[in-house]
Amino acid sequence: IRDFDTEYHNLFFYGTVGTGKSFLSGCIAGELLQTGHSVIYFSASGLFDILAHYSFDARDGLADFHEDLYSCDLLIIDDLGTEITNSFVTSQLFSCLNERHLRSRSTLISTNLGLEKLRDRYSDRIFSRVTSGFTLCKLTGPDIRILKKRMANTSPAIQENNTTS
């Protein structure tokens, strides 16, 4: 965030469910928005649904949508791999990543897919773009959502016993 205006970076957060990838993405977005940067956030399935809508039903708005998508300061694609993957999705993802790279516009992707599954699910071209043009950040550990729920459901007497043991 400190070097956002002077250095071009892309981030790829991957790892197990519930480790804070989406939360961290939101924190980065919030910090950049506070400093006047433009940020567009999409779930992967939402992004490809909108692209399909514009491509097949509303071609008039496609150029404007692409311009916003390609020129915003930061594009966040959350939960890559949750969408139905087909040749349209693969083509659109490659075009988006490639065009943003050509414009030196930062992209942040989060996914539960490991690198091998990323290569298998998409294409070698997308895998190459991600592994060579993104800082890869693997987040692992227990599911924070489950831990928080357990903490909330634990009665004060049990919590007290656990701290005195």
Side-chain angles (χ1 to χ4, degrees), residues 40-118:
I40 296 179
Y41 167 95
F42 277 106
S43 67
S45 58
L47 173 61
F48 298 118
D49 284 350
I50 288 173
L51 285 168
H53 168 75
Y54 278 122
S55 294
F56 300 111
D57 296 332
R59 291 178 189 256
D60 293 341
L62 184 59
D64 291 337
F65 182 73
H66 274 155
E67 185 56 33
D68 290 343
L69 197 64
Y70 298 155
S71 64
C72 66
D73 295 325
L74 176 65
L75 172 65
I76 298 174
I77 303 173
D78 193 29
D79 279 334
L80 185 69
T82 58
E83 75 287 349
I84 296 172
T85 307
N86 54 34
S87 60
F88 173 82
V89 166
T90 301
S91 170
Q92 291 298 309
L93 179 58
F94 177 80
S95 295
C96 183
L97 296 179
N98 192 56
E99 186 63 32
R100 289 189 60 78
H101 174 69
L102 292 173
R103 296 181 184 205
S104 297
R105 308 311 274 174
S106 296
T107 304
L108 189 161
I109 297 173
S110 73
T111 183
N112 294 332
L113 298 175
L115 295 178
E116 188 174 308
K117 287 191 178 185
L118 178 75

Side-chain angles (χ1 to χ4, degrees), residues 11-43:
L11 294 171
F12 186 79
F13 296 157
Y14 70 106
T16 53
V17 172
T19 53
K21 297 176 296 295
S22 297
F23 177 78
L24 185 55
S25 300
C27 291
I28 291 169
E31 290 291 319
L32 290 174
L33 287 168
Q34 286 183 1
T35 57
H37 293 91
S38 59
V39 177
I40 296 179
Y41 167 95
F42 277 106
S43 67

